Amino acid sequence: MLNGRLLRQFIAVAEELHYGRAAQRVGMAQSPLSTAIQKLEAYLDTPLFERNQRSVALTPAGRAFLDEAYQWLRYEEVAVARTHSVRNGVIGQLMVGFIGSTGYGFMPELVRQFRQEYPQVRLRLIEMTTKDQLERLRGRYIDAGLLRTPLPYQATDIETRLYRYDRLMAALPKAHPLAGRQIIDLRELARESFVAFSRERIPAAHAQLISACASAGFYPDIEQECTQIASIICLVAAGVAVALIPGNLASLLHSDVRYVPLSNDPAGLSQCVSLAWRKGDDNPALASFLKVAGALQVDIASPDIAAQHDDCAATGKHPGVDSG
């Protein structure tokens, strides 16, 4: 039976063309080495060496087998190296879901850094809602997700870790009376119609709108619901309604939309974006991804917002509001 040890013994004899020197090279006596080569020739049913009292030479079959032996050992080295790389999360594959709003700052930064540090990991990115990400995590279709927290329901099989938070801001039609202001109070929008993220598909963002407005003393008149941020911006631009959107989306420019910061309590107007993955998942590439994400977690949140996030993560609800 062929194995790496036998091939190394053959290569030593083929390169030295001297049994004594080859035996020293592989650390064994000359007689067992000669026996091993004879057994190899018997296994292959062909002579690999021409021998006489003065010299040893490779036969044509021996020269061909030497090339194959080199290849065999190279494959062996590659197999060992790849195994170690997978174990260390250096290579492999990773499927990551993300909510669309993270595509404007949070997600590209994380992906760029991960690809820079782990270029051999095959990374696939799929936009999907928080609810879909939870379903796909459970179904093992994705390995990790960037989603909104708190989660819409308790998920004891899913781990989450706060990654970033972002203050909400008002998105107003260009012609809106408040569009030219530097800052507004949310109560000034109490009589407006709102376009919100879908209660069914994006419950955390929907609940946050209601919670923020409730803290400002009113219940929002929700005229439209959407699942995509681009649709929300288009409806605002059309003058259908106003919206509350994450501040990082200010880069999503539209000539007919103005973004105005809000002066209200930051804890009630901050959106939490978290990493999520299956508990006990031993995919080394996932561990590498979480390591990179951890290194980018600078100034995540104020103590008040972090405490609010922990409370919401435990209950699955925004304070005082059913997350749906």
PDB file of all heavy atoms in Angstrom, residues 192-199 205-207 209-210 213 219-226 240-242:
ATOM      1  N   GLU A 192     -48.533  64.785  11.208  1.00  0.00           N
ATOM      2  CA  GLU A 192     -48.126  64.303   9.882  1.00  0.00           C
ATOM      3  C   GLU A 192     -48.552  62.849   9.667  1.00  0.00           C
ATOM      4  O   GLU A 192     -48.762  62.084  10.612  1.00  0.00           O
ATOM      5  CB  GLU A 192     -46.600  64.393   9.735  1.00  0.00           C
ATOM      6  CG  GLU A 192     -46.043  65.787   9.875  1.00  0.00           C
ATOM      7  CD  GLU A 192     -46.358  66.669   8.675  1.00  0.00           C
ATOM      8  OE1 GLU A 192     -46.694  66.121   7.602  1.00  0.00           O
ATOM      9  OE2 GLU A 192     -46.247  67.904   8.808  1.00  0.00           O
ATOM     10  N   SER A 193     -48.645  62.470   8.392  1.00  0.00           N
ATOM     11  CA  SER A 193     -48.780  61.054   8.025  1.00  0.00           C
ATOM     12  C   SER A 193     -47.377  60.476   7.867  1.00  0.00           C
ATOM     13  O   SER A 193     -46.473  61.148   7.348  1.00  0.00           O
ATOM     14  CB  SER A 193     -49.551  60.911   6.716  1.00  0.00           C
ATOM     15  OG  SER A 193     -50.874  61.375   6.866  1.00  0.00           O
ATOM     16  N   PHE A 194     -47.198  59.224   8.305  1.00  0.00           N
ATOM     17  CA  PHE A 194     -45.892  58.587   8.268  1.00  0.00           C
ATOM     18  C   PHE A 194     -45.889  57.409   7.298  1.00  0.00           C
ATOM     19  O   PHE A 194     -46.903  56.726   7.112  1.00  0.00           O
ATOM     20  CB  PHE A 194     -45.513  58.053   9.656  1.00  0.00           C
ATOM     21  CG  PHE A 194     -45.031  59.112  10.612  1.00  0.00           C
ATOM     22  CD1 PHE A 194     -45.928  59.930  11.282  1.00  0.00           C
ATOM     23  CD2 PHE A 194     -43.669  59.284  10.845  1.00  0.00           C
ATOM     24  CE1 PHE A 194     -45.493  60.906  12.165  1.00  0.00           C
ATOM     25  CE2 PHE A 194     -43.218  60.257  11.727  1.00  0.00           C
ATOM     26  CZ  PHE A 194     -44.135  61.072  12.386  1.00  0.00           C
ATOM     27  N   VAL A 195     -44.733  57.168   6.707  1.00  0.00           N
ATOM     28  CA  VAL A 195     -44.478  55.909   6.012  1.00  0.00           C
ATOM     29  C   VAL A 195     -43.509  55.141   6.899  1.00  0.00           C
ATOM     30  O   VAL A 195     -42.485  55.681   7.353  1.00  0.00           O
ATOM     31  CB  VAL A 195     -43.913  56.120   4.587  1.00  0.00           C
ATOM     32  CG1 VAL A 195     -42.671  56.988   4.590  1.00  0.00           C
ATOM     33  CG2 VAL A 195     -43.608  54.769   3.935  1.00  0.00           C
ATOM     34  N   ALA A 196     -43.864  53.890   7.185  1.00  0.00           N
ATOM     35  CA  ALA A 196     -43.110  53.098   8.160  1.00  0.00           C
ATOM     36  C   ALA A 196     -42.620  51.802   7.531  1.00  0.00           C
ATOM     37  O   ALA A 196     -43.123  51.357   6.495  1.00  0.00           O
ATOM     38  CB  ALA A 196     -43.992  52.773   9.366  1.00  0.00           C
ATOM     39  N   PHE A 197     -41.628  51.196   8.185  1.00  0.00           N
ATOM     40  CA  PHE A 197     -41.240  49.849   7.808  1.00  0.00           C
ATOM     41  C   PHE A 197     -42.376  48.893   8.155  1.00  0.00           C
ATOM     42  O   PHE A 197     -43.131  49.103   9.118  1.00  0.00           O
ATOM     43  CB  PHE A 197     -39.966  49.422   8.548  1.00  0.00           C
ATOM     44  CG  PHE A 197     -38.708  50.028   7.985  1.00  0.00           C
ATOM     45  CD1 PHE A 197     -38.060  51.056   8.648  1.00  0.00           C
ATOM     46  CD2 PHE A 197     -38.172  49.552   6.796  1.00  0.00           C
ATOM     47  CE1 PHE A 197     -36.902  51.610   8.126  1.00  0.00           C
ATOM     48  CE2 PHE A 197     -37.014  50.100   6.268  1.00  0.00           C
ATOM     49  CZ  PHE A 197     -36.375  51.141   6.933  1.00  0.00           C
ATOM     50  N   SER A 198     -42.502  47.835   7.393  1.00  0.00           N
ATOM     51  CA  SER A 198     -43.598  46.875   7.552  1.00  0.00           C
ATOM     52  C   SER A 198     -43.625  46.266   8.953  1.00  0.00           C
ATOM     53  O   SER A 198     -42.613  45.776   9.450  1.00  0.00           O
ATOM     54  CB  SER A 198     -43.451  45.765   6.512  1.00  0.00           C
ATOM     55  OG  SER A 198     -44.278  44.668   6.822  1.00  0.00           O
ATOM     56  N   ARG A 199     -44.798  46.306   9.577  1.00  0.00           N
ATOM     57  CA  ARG A 199     -44.960  45.693  10.888  1.00  0.00           C
ATOM     58  C   ARG A 199     -44.734  44.185  10.815  1.00  0.00           C
ATOM     59  O   ARG A 199     -44.154  43.588  11.720  1.00  0.00           O
ATOM     60  CB  ARG A 199     -46.366  45.979  11.437  1.00  0.00           C
ATOM     61  CG  ARG A 199     -46.663  45.288  12.769  1.00  0.00           C
ATOM     62  CD  ARG A 199     -48.105  45.526  13.202  1.00  0.00           C
ATOM     63  NE  ARG A 199     -48.428  44.718  14.366  1.00  0.00           N
ATOM     64  CZ  ARG A 199     -48.227  45.099  15.621  1.00  0.00           C
ATOM     65  NH1 ARG A 199     -47.702  46.281  15.875  1.00  0.00           N
ATOM     66  NH2 ARG A 199     -48.550  44.310  16.618  1.00  0.00           N
ATOM     67  N   ALA A 205     -38.209  47.726  13.570  1.00  0.00           N
ATOM     68  CA  ALA A 205     -38.176  49.111  13.083  1.00  0.00           C
ATOM     69  C   ALA A 205     -39.560  49.741  13.166  1.00  0.00           C
ATOM     70  O   ALA A 205     -39.704  50.923  13.492  1.00  0.00           O
ATOM     71  CB  ALA A 205     -37.656  49.150  11.652  1.00  0.00           C
ATOM     72  N   HIS A 206     -40.589  48.965  12.872  1.00  0.00           N
ATOM     73  CA  HIS A 206     -41.962  49.465  12.967  1.00  0.00           C
ATOM     74  C   HIS A 206     -42.279  49.848  14.412  1.00  0.00           C
ATOM     75  O   HIS A 206     -42.823  50.929  14.692  1.00  0.00           O
ATOM     76  CB  HIS A 206     -42.938  48.395  12.470  1.00  0.00           C
ATOM     77  CG  HIS A 206     -44.358  48.840  12.415  1.00  0.00           C
ATOM     78  ND1 HIS A 206     -44.956  49.259  11.247  1.00  0.00           N
ATOM     79  CD2 HIS A 206     -45.311  48.936  13.380  1.00  0.00           C
ATOM     80  CE1 HIS A 206     -46.209  49.589  11.483  1.00  0.00           C
ATOM     81  NE2 HIS A 206     -46.460  49.402  12.780  1.00  0.00           N
ATOM     82  N   ALA A 207     -41.937  48.958  15.341  1.00  0.00           N
ATOM     83  CA  ALA A 207     -42.212  49.210  16.756  1.00  0.00           C
ATOM     84  C   ALA A 207     -41.437  50.412  17.264  1.00  0.00           C
ATOM     85  O   ALA A 207     -41.926  51.163  18.115  1.00  0.00           O
ATOM     86  CB  ALA A 207     -41.861  47.969  17.578  1.00  0.00           C
ATOM     87  N   LEU A 209     -40.636  53.141  15.628  1.00  0.00           N
ATOM     88  CA  LEU A 209     -41.335  54.360  15.226  1.00  0.00           C
ATOM     89  C   LEU A 209     -42.462  54.672  16.214  1.00  0.00           C
ATOM     90  O   LEU A 209     -42.590  55.806  16.695  1.00  0.00           O
ATOM     91  CB  LEU A 209     -41.899  54.199  13.812  1.00  0.00           C
ATOM     92  CG  LEU A 209     -42.901  55.272  13.365  1.00  0.00           C
ATOM     93  CD1 LEU A 209     -42.232  56.643  13.284  1.00  0.00           C
ATOM     94  CD2 LEU A 209     -43.544  54.899  12.038  1.00  0.00           C
ATOM     95  N   ILE A 210     -43.251  53.648  16.529  1.00  0.00           N
ATOM     96  CA  ILE A 210     -44.378  53.857  17.452  1.00  0.00           C
ATOM     97  C   ILE A 210     -43.868  54.259  18.830  1.00  0.00           C
ATOM     98  O   ILE A 210     -44.389  55.167  19.483  1.00  0.00           O
ATOM     99  CB  ILE A 210     -45.233  52.578  17.529  1.00  0.00           C
ATOM    100  CG1 ILE A 210     -45.859  52.291  16.156  1.00  0.00           C
ATOM    101  CG2 ILE A 210     -46.311  52.714  18.600  1.00  0.00           C
ATOM    102  CD1 ILE A 210     -46.594  50.974  16.071  1.00  0.00           C
ATOM    103  N   CYS A 213     -42.517  57.908  18.835  1.00  0.00           N
ATOM    104  CA  CYS A 213     -43.616  58.872  18.792  1.00  0.00           C
ATOM    105  C   CYS A 213     -44.375  58.890  20.112  1.00  0.00           C
ATOM    106  O   CYS A 213     -44.788  59.959  20.596  1.00  0.00           O
ATOM    107  CB  CYS A 213     -44.553  58.552  17.632  1.00  0.00           C
ATOM    108  SG  CYS A 213     -43.815  58.800  15.997  1.00  0.00           S
ATOM    109  N   TYR A 219     -49.390  59.245  18.880  1.00  0.00           N
ATOM    110  CA  TYR A 219     -49.363  57.982  18.137  1.00  0.00           C
ATOM    111  C   TYR A 219     -49.317  58.325  16.652  1.00  0.00           C
ATOM    112  O   TYR A 219     -50.134  59.110  16.166  1.00  0.00           O
ATOM    113  CB  TYR A 219     -50.598  57.136  18.438  1.00  0.00           C
ATOM    114  CG  TYR A 219     -50.493  55.721  17.919  1.00  0.00           C
ATOM    115  CD1 TYR A 219     -49.961  54.709  18.709  1.00  0.00           C
ATOM    116  CD2 TYR A 219     -50.910  55.405  16.623  1.00  0.00           C
ATOM    117  CE1 TYR A 219     -49.851  53.406  18.234  1.00  0.00           C
ATOM    118  CE2 TYR A 219     -50.797  54.113  16.133  1.00  0.00           C
ATOM    119  CZ  TYR A 219     -50.269  53.122  16.939  1.00  0.00           C
ATOM    120  OH  TYR A 219     -50.151  51.839  16.456  1.00  0.00           O
ATOM    121  N   PRO A 220     -48.350  57.754  15.909  1.00  0.00           N
ATOM    122  CA  PRO A 220     -48.185  58.158  14.507  1.00  0.00           C
ATOM    123  C   PRO A 220     -49.322  57.670  13.600  1.00  0.00           C
ATOM    124  O   PRO A 220     -49.804  56.544  13.753  1.00  0.00           O
ATOM    125  CB  PRO A 220     -46.857  57.499  14.112  1.00  0.00           C
ATOM    126  CG  PRO A 220     -46.753  56.302  15.002  1.00  0.00           C
ATOM    127  CD  PRO A 220     -47.365  56.717  16.307  1.00  0.00           C
ATOM    128  N   ASP A 221     -49.723  58.504  12.691  1.00  0.00           N
ATOM    129  CA  ASP A 221     -50.689  58.137  11.651  1.00  0.00           C
ATOM    130  C   ASP A 221     -49.898  57.496  10.510  1.00  0.00           C
ATOM    131  O   ASP A 221     -49.265  58.181   9.704  1.00  0.00           O
ATOM    132  CB  ASP A 221     -51.428  59.382  11.168  1.00  0.00           C
ATOM    133  CG  ASP A 221     -52.355  59.087   9.981  1.00  0.00           C
ATOM    134  OD1 ASP A 221     -52.669  57.895   9.759  1.00  0.00           O
ATOM    135  OD2 ASP A 221     -52.728  60.036   9.275  1.00  0.00           O
ATOM    136  N   ILE A 222     -49.918  56.171  10.464  1.00  0.00           N
ATOM    137  CA  ILE A 222     -49.109  55.444   9.472  1.00  0.00           C
ATOM    138  C   ILE A 222     -49.921  55.286   8.188  1.00  0.00           C
ATOM    139  O   ILE A 222     -50.889  54.524   8.121  1.00  0.00           O
ATOM    140  CB  ILE A 222     -48.656  54.077  10.025  1.00  0.00           C
ATOM    141  CG1 ILE A 222     -47.774  54.295  11.254  1.00  0.00           C
ATOM    142  CG2 ILE A 222     -47.918  53.281   8.944  1.00  0.00           C
ATOM    143  CD1 ILE A 222     -47.328  53.009  11.937  1.00  0.00           C
ATOM    144  N   GLU A 223     -49.515  56.041   7.176  1.00  0.00           N
ATOM    145  CA  GLU A 223     -50.222  56.068   5.897  1.00  0.00           C
ATOM    146  C   GLU A 223     -49.823  54.890   5.006  1.00  0.00           C
ATOM    147  O   GLU A 223     -50.655  54.320   4.303  1.00  0.00           O
ATOM    148  CB  GLU A 223     -49.889  57.382   5.178  1.00  0.00           C
ATOM    149  CG  GLU A 223     -50.511  57.551   3.806  1.00  0.00           C
ATOM    150  CD  GLU A 223     -51.967  57.985   3.881  1.00  0.00           C
ATOM    151  OE1 GLU A 223     -52.403  58.402   4.965  1.00  0.00           O
ATOM    152  OE2 GLU A 223     -52.648  57.884   2.849  1.00  0.00           O
ATOM    153  N   GLN A 224     -48.521  54.532   5.038  1.00  0.00           N
ATOM    154  CA  GLN A 224     -47.993  53.476   4.162  1.00  0.00           C
ATOM    155  C   GLN A 224     -46.981  52.640   4.942  1.00  0.00           C
ATOM    156  O   GLN A 224     -46.361  53.131   5.895  1.00  0.00           O
ATOM    157  CB  GLN A 224     -47.286  54.083   2.940  1.00  0.00           C
ATOM    158  CG  GLN A 224     -48.148  54.951   2.061  1.00  0.00           C
ATOM    159  CD  GLN A 224     -48.984  54.138   1.088  1.00  0.00           C
ATOM    160  OE1 GLN A 224     -48.710  52.961   0.857  1.00  0.00           O
ATOM    161  NE2 GLN A 224     -49.997  54.750   0.506  1.00  0.00           N
ATOM    162  N   GLU A 225     -46.817  51.397   4.515  1.00  0.00           N
ATOM    163  CA  GLU A 225     -45.766  50.523   5.053  1.00  0.00           C
ATOM    164  C   GLU A 225     -44.951  49.976   3.902  1.00  0.00           C
ATOM    165  O   GLU A 225     -45.492  49.654   2.836  1.00  0.00           O
ATOM    166  CB  GLU A 225     -46.354  49.372   5.868  1.00  0.00           C
ATOM    167  CG  GLU A 225     -47.012  49.799   7.157  1.00  0.00           C
ATOM    168  CD  GLU A 225     -47.412  48.613   8.028  1.00  0.00           C
ATOM    169  OE1 GLU A 225     -47.023  47.472   7.706  1.00  0.00           O
ATOM    170  OE2 GLU A 225     -48.122  48.837   9.035  1.00  0.00           O
ATOM    171  N   CYS A 226     -43.620  49.841   4.113  1.00  0.00           N
ATOM    172  CA  CYS A 226     -42.713  49.336   3.080  1.00  0.00           C
ATOM    173  C   CYS A 226     -41.705  48.373   3.714  1.00  0.00           C
ATOM    174  O   CYS A 226     -41.453  48.426   4.918  1.00  0.00           O
ATOM    175  CB  CYS A 226     -41.953  50.479   2.404  1.00  0.00           C
ATOM    176  SG  CYS A 226     -42.995  51.685   1.571  1.00  0.00           S
ATOM    177  N   VAL A 240     -46.047  61.954  -0.032  1.00  0.00           N
ATOM    178  CA  VAL A 240     -47.107  61.130   0.547  1.00  0.00           C
ATOM    179  C   VAL A 240     -47.080  61.176   2.074  1.00  0.00           C
ATOM    180  O   VAL A 240     -48.116  61.192   2.733  1.00  0.00           O
ATOM    181  CB  VAL A 240     -46.979  59.659   0.059  1.00  0.00           C
ATOM    182  CG1 VAL A 240     -47.953  58.752   0.794  1.00  0.00           C
ATOM    183  CG2 VAL A 240     -47.187  59.585  -1.442  1.00  0.00           C
ATOM    184  N   ALA A 241     -45.848  61.192   2.657  1.00  0.00           N
ATOM    185  CA  ALA A 241     -45.710  61.124   4.108  1.00  0.00           C
ATOM    186  C   ALA A 241     -44.302  61.536   4.504  1.00  0.00           C
ATOM    187  O   ALA A 241     -43.438  61.787   3.655  1.00  0.00           O
ATOM    188  CB  ALA A 241     -46.007  59.696   4.589  1.00  0.00           C
ATOM    189  N   VAL A 242     -44.079  61.581   5.817  1.00  0.00           N
ATOM    190  CA  VAL A 242     -42.731  61.765   6.365  1.00  0.00           C
ATOM    191  C   VAL A 242     -42.286  60.425   6.934  1.00  0.00           C
ATOM    192  O   VAL A 242     -43.080  59.477   7.032  1.00  0.00           O
ATOM    193  CB  VAL A 242     -42.704  62.851   7.454  1.00  0.00           C
ATOM    194  CG1 VAL A 242     -43.178  64.184   6.898  1.00  0.00           C
ATOM    195  CG2 VAL A 242     -43.540  62.432   8.672  1.00  0.00           C
TER     196      VAL A 242
END
